[in-house]
Short mmCIF file of all heavy atoms in Angstrom, two decimals:
data_model
loop_
_atom_site.label_atom_id
_atom_site.label_comp_id
_atom_site.label_asym_id
_atom_site.label_seq_id
_atom_site.Cartn_x
_atom_site.Cartn_y
_atom_site.Cartn_z
N SER C 162 105.02 67.45 109.61
CA SER C 162 104.58 68.64 108.90
C SER C 162 103.38 69.29 109.58
O SER C 162 102.33 68.63 109.92
CB SER C 162 104.20 68.28 107.36
OG SER C 162 103.75 69.51 106.78
N GLY C 163 103.50 70.57 109.85
CA GLY C 163 102.46 71.34 110.57
C GLY C 163 102.37 71.20 111.92
O GLY C 163 101.74 72.01 112.70
N LYS C 164 103.06 70.30 112.57
CA LYS C 164 102.95 69.95 113.99
C LYS C 164 104.46 69.79 114.62
O LYS C 164 104.62 69.20 115.61
CB LYS C 164 102.18 68.73 114.30
CG LYS C 164 100.74 68.82 113.96
CD LYS C 164 99.89 69.42 115.07
CE LYS C 164 98.48 69.26 114.75
NZ LYS C 164 97.67 69.85 115.99
N ALA C 165 105.44 70.38 113.85
CA ALA C 165 106.72 70.23 114.23
C ALA C 165 107.04 70.78 115.63
O ALA C 165 106.48 71.82 116.03
CB ALA C 165 107.76 70.80 113.27
N VAL C 166 107.91 70.14 116.45
CA VAL C 166 108.31 70.62 117.77
C VAL C 166 109.74 70.74 117.80
O VAL C 166 110.53 70.23 116.91
CB VAL C 166 107.77 69.68 118.89
CG1 VAL C 166 106.35 69.45 118.98
CG2 VAL C 166 108.52 68.25 118.72
N LYS C 167 110.18 71.60 118.65
CA LYS C 167 111.73 71.79 118.78
C LYS C 167 112.26 70.69 119.58
O LYS C 167 111.86 70.49 120.75
CB LYS C 167 111.96 73.18 119.50
CG LYS C 167 113.40 73.49 119.45
CD LYS C 167 113.62 74.85 120.15
CE LYS C 167 115.10 75.28 120.26
NZ LYS C 167 115.31 76.59 120.87
N TRP C 168 113.16 69.87 118.87
CA TRP C 168 113.71 68.79 119.58
C TRP C 168 115.23 68.89 119.69
O TRP C 168 115.87 69.69 119.02
CB TRP C 168 113.36 67.44 118.91
CG TRP C 168 113.85 67.24 117.63
CD1 TRP C 168 113.26 67.75 116.42
CD2 TRP C 168 115.07 66.60 117.21
NE1 TRP C 168 114.09 67.37 115.32
CE2 TRP C 168 115.20 66.80 115.73
CE3 TRP C 168 116.15 65.97 117.85
CZ2 TRP C 168 116.18 66.20 114.98
CZ3 TRP C 168 117.17 65.49 117.24
CH2 TRP C 168 117.29 65.58 115.73
N LYS C 169 115.77 68.16 120.72
CA LYS C 169 117.26 68.40 120.93
C LYS C 169 117.94 66.94 120.61
O LYS C 169 117.41 65.90 121.13
CB LYS C 169 117.33 68.62 122.50
CG LYS C 169 118.84 68.82 122.98
CD LYS C 169 118.88 69.26 124.43
CE LYS C 169 120.26 69.50 124.77
NZ LYS C 169 120.31 70.05 126.23
N PHE C 170 118.98 67.03 120.00
CA PHE C 170 119.85 65.90 119.65
C PHE C 170 120.64 65.49 120.90
O PHE C 170 121.46 66.42 121.43
CB PHE C 170 120.70 66.09 118.52
CG PHE C 170 121.83 65.07 118.31
CD1 PHE C 170 121.51 63.79 118.15
CD2 PHE C 170 123.26 65.40 118.35
CE1 PHE C 170 122.43 62.82 118.07
CE2 PHE C 170 124.11 64.43 118.13
CZ PHE C 170 123.77 63.11 118.09
N VAL C 171 120.38 64.43 121.37
CA VAL C 171 121.20 63.84 122.67
C VAL C 171 121.94 62.61 122.25
O VAL C 171 121.28 61.53 122.05
CB VAL C 171 120.20 63.57 123.78
CG1 VAL C 171 120.86 62.97 125.04
CG2 VAL C 171 119.45 64.78 124.34
N PRO C 172 123.19 62.67 122.00
CA PRO C 172 124.05 61.55 121.67
C PRO C 172 123.99 60.33 122.65
O PRO C 172 123.82 60.71 123.87
CB PRO C 172 125.38 62.12 121.48
CG PRO C 172 125.28 63.52 121.41
CD PRO C 172 124.12 63.91 122.23
N ASN C 173 124.10 59.17 122.12
CA ASN C 173 124.17 58.04 123.05
C ASN C 173 125.57 57.96 123.49
O ASN C 173 126.43 57.30 122.94
CB ASN C 173 123.70 56.77 122.20
CG ASN C 173 122.23 56.64 122.24
OD1 ASN C 173 121.54 57.42 122.72
ND2 ASN C 173 121.73 55.63 121.40
N GLY C 174 125.98 58.73 124.52
CA GLY C 174 127.33 58.82 124.99
C GLY C 174 127.87 57.55 125.66
O GLY C 174 127.11 56.84 126.27
N ILE C 175 129.15 57.48 125.53
CA ILE C 175 129.83 56.44 126.17
C ILE C 175 131.08 56.84 126.87
O ILE C 175 131.56 57.95 126.69
CB ILE C 175 130.28 55.29 125.22
CG1 ILE C 175 131.34 55.83 124.11
CG2 ILE C 175 129.09 54.81 124.38
CD1 ILE C 175 131.98 54.74 123.22
N ASP C 176 131.62 55.92 127.78
CA ASP C 176 132.93 56.28 128.47
C ASP C 176 134.02 55.99 127.43
O ASP C 176 134.49 54.93 127.28
CB ASP C 176 133.04 55.56 129.73
CG ASP C 176 134.22 55.79 130.47
OD1 ASP C 176 135.14 56.47 129.93
OD2 ASP C 176 134.26 55.53 131.71
N VAL C 177 134.45 56.92 126.66
CA VAL C 177 135.27 56.76 125.52
C VAL C 177 136.59 55.99 125.96
O VAL C 177 137.04 55.08 125.29
CB VAL C 177 135.69 57.97 124.76
CG1 VAL C 177 136.72 57.81 123.59
CG2 VAL C 177 134.36 58.64 124.26
N ALA C 178 137.26 56.56 127.02
CA ALA C 178 138.55 56.04 127.48
C ALA C 178 138.41 54.51 127.78
O ALA C 178 139.31 53.76 127.49
CB ALA C 178 139.05 56.85 128.60
N ARG C 179 137.20 54.14 128.33
CA ARG C 179 137.08 52.78 128.74
C ARG C 179 137.17 51.72 127.50
O ARG C 179 137.64 50.65 127.64
CB ARG C 179 135.71 52.59 129.44
CG ARG C 179 135.45 51.21 129.87
CD ARG C 179 134.10 51.06 130.53
NE ARG C 179 133.53 49.66 130.39
CZ ARG C 179 132.27 49.29 130.28
NH1 ARG C 179 131.43 50.27 130.06
NH2 ARG C 179 131.96 48.07 130.17
N PHE C 180 136.62 52.28 126.46
CA PHE C 180 136.57 51.31 125.20
C PHE C 180 137.67 51.44 124.29
O PHE C 180 137.86 50.66 123.30
CB PHE C 180 135.30 51.70 124.47
CG PHE C 180 134.00 51.23 125.17
CD1 PHE C 180 133.25 52.11 125.98
CD2 PHE C 180 133.63 49.93 125.01
CE1 PHE C 180 132.16 51.62 126.62
CE2 PHE C 180 132.45 49.58 125.67
CZ PHE C 180 131.77 50.31 126.50
N ALA C 181 138.79 52.22 124.61
CA ALA C 181 139.95 52.26 123.75
C ALA C 181 140.61 50.93 123.81
O ALA C 181 140.68 50.28 124.75
CB ALA C 181 140.89 53.39 124.28
N PHE C 182 141.21 50.68 122.54
CA PHE C 182 141.93 49.43 122.42
C PHE C 182 143.06 49.17 123.51
O PHE C 182 143.82 50.17 123.76
CB PHE C 182 142.43 49.25 120.93
CG PHE C 182 143.22 47.99 120.83
CD1 PHE C 182 142.66 46.76 120.73
CD2 PHE C 182 144.61 48.05 120.77
CE1 PHE C 182 143.47 45.69 120.64
CE2 PHE C 182 145.44 46.89 120.56
CZ PHE C 182 144.79 45.72 120.50
N ASP C 183 143.03 47.94 123.98
CA ASP C 183 144.09 47.60 125.03
C ASP C 183 144.59 46.36 124.66
O ASP C 183 143.87 45.28 124.64
CB ASP C 183 143.47 47.64 126.34
CG ASP C 183 144.48 47.46 127.52
OD1 ASP C 183 145.24 46.47 127.42
OD2 ASP C 183 144.47 48.29 128.44
N ASP C 184 145.99 46.21 124.22
CA ASP C 184 146.60 44.95 123.77
C ASP C 184 146.52 43.92 124.88
O ASP C 184 146.41 42.77 124.72
CB ASP C 184 147.98 45.20 123.25
CG ASP C 184 148.44 44.09 122.42
OD1 ASP C 184 147.74 43.63 121.44
OD2 ASP C 184 149.52 43.59 122.71
N GLU C 185 146.70 44.38 126.12
CA GLU C 185 146.73 43.37 127.36
C GLU C 185 145.38 42.71 127.56
O GLU C 185 145.27 41.50 127.69
CB GLU C 185 147.15 44.11 128.66
CG GLU C 185 147.33 43.27 129.85
CD GLU C 185 147.60 43.97 130.98
OE1 GLU C 185 148.20 45.09 130.86
OE2 GLU C 185 147.26 43.40 132.26
N LYS C 186 144.29 43.50 127.33
CA LYS C 186 142.87 43.07 127.47
C LYS C 186 142.80 42.10 126.32
O LYS C 186 142.12 41.02 126.46
CB LYS C 186 141.86 44.21 127.45
CG LYS C 186 141.87 45.09 128.62
CD LYS C 186 140.83 46.23 128.37
CE LYS C 186 140.83 47.06 129.59
NZ LYS C 186 139.80 48.26 129.41
N ARG C 187 143.08 42.47 125.17
CA ARG C 187 142.94 41.54 123.97
C ARG C 187 143.50 40.20 124.24
O ARG C 187 142.77 39.16 124.03
CB ARG C 187 143.60 42.21 122.79
CG ARG C 187 143.56 41.40 121.48
CD ARG C 187 144.24 42.05 120.27
NE ARG C 187 144.30 41.13 119.23
CZ ARG C 187 143.35 41.07 118.27
NH1 ARG C 187 142.29 41.73 118.40
NH2 ARG C 187 143.56 40.25 117.14
N ASN C 188 144.80 40.11 124.57
CA ASN C 188 145.46 38.97 124.85
C ASN C 188 144.69 37.99 125.96
O ASN C 188 144.53 36.82 125.73
CB ASN C 188 146.93 39.05 125.13
CG ASN C 188 147.72 39.70 123.99
OD1 ASN C 188 147.26 39.40 122.82
ND2 ASN C 188 148.78 40.41 124.31
N ARG C 189 144.27 38.72 127.02
CA ARG C 189 143.78 38.03 128.11
C ARG C 189 142.45 37.46 127.82
O ARG C 189 142.12 36.28 128.03
CB ARG C 189 143.49 38.96 129.33
CG ARG C 189 142.97 38.26 130.52
CD ARG C 189 143.03 39.14 131.73
NE ARG C 189 142.16 40.40 131.61
CZ ARG C 189 142.47 41.59 131.48
NH1 ARG C 189 143.75 41.86 131.41
NH2 ARG C 189 141.60 42.54 131.53
N VAL C 190 141.53 38.10 127.02
CA VAL C 190 140.31 37.75 126.61
C VAL C 190 140.34 36.53 125.62
O VAL C 190 139.62 35.68 125.71
CB VAL C 190 139.37 38.82 126.14
CG1 VAL C 190 138.05 38.32 125.54
CG2 VAL C 190 139.01 39.82 127.24
N ARG C 191 141.21 36.77 124.64
CA ARG C 191 141.37 35.83 123.62
C ARG C 191 141.83 34.42 124.18
O ARG C 191 141.43 33.37 123.71
CB ARG C 191 142.27 36.22 122.54
CG ARG C 191 141.57 37.36 121.65
CD ARG C 191 142.54 38.02 120.71
NE ARG C 191 142.85 37.17 119.58
CZ ARG C 191 142.38 37.19 118.30
NH1 ARG C 191 141.28 38.00 118.16
NH2 ARG C 191 142.65 36.36 117.38
N ASP C 192 142.75 34.56 125.07
CA ASP C 192 143.20 33.30 125.73
C ASP C 192 141.99 32.60 126.51
O ASP C 192 141.90 31.41 126.41
CB ASP C 192 144.35 33.60 126.75
CG ASP C 192 145.68 33.92 126.08
OD1 ASP C 192 145.73 33.70 124.91
OD2 ASP C 192 146.56 34.42 126.72
N ALA C 193 141.26 33.43 127.21
CA ALA C 193 140.11 32.99 128.03
C ALA C 193 139.08 32.26 127.23
O ALA C 193 138.49 31.25 127.56
CB ALA C 193 139.53 33.98 128.88
N LEU C 194 138.78 32.83 125.98
CA LEU C 194 137.93 32.30 125.05
C LEU C 194 138.38 31.18 124.09
O LEU C 194 137.66 30.63 123.32
CB LEU C 194 137.20 33.37 124.25
CG LEU C 194 136.50 34.51 125.10
CD1 LEU C 194 135.98 35.60 124.11
CD2 LEU C 194 135.33 33.83 125.84
#
Side-chain angles (χ1 to χ4, degrees):
S162 178
K164 294 275 188 175
V166 297
K167 185 177 181 180
W168 62 276
K169 179 176 183 175
F170 169 57
V171 177
N173 284 354
I175 65 169
D176 185 344
V177 176
R179 177 185 161 217
F180 287 94
F182 174 72
D183 186 306
D184 199 50
E185 182 180 337
K186 290 179 181 178
R187 176 182 174 85
N188 293 334
R189 182 172 67 250
V190 171
R191 288 172 72 97
D192 285 346
L194 296 178

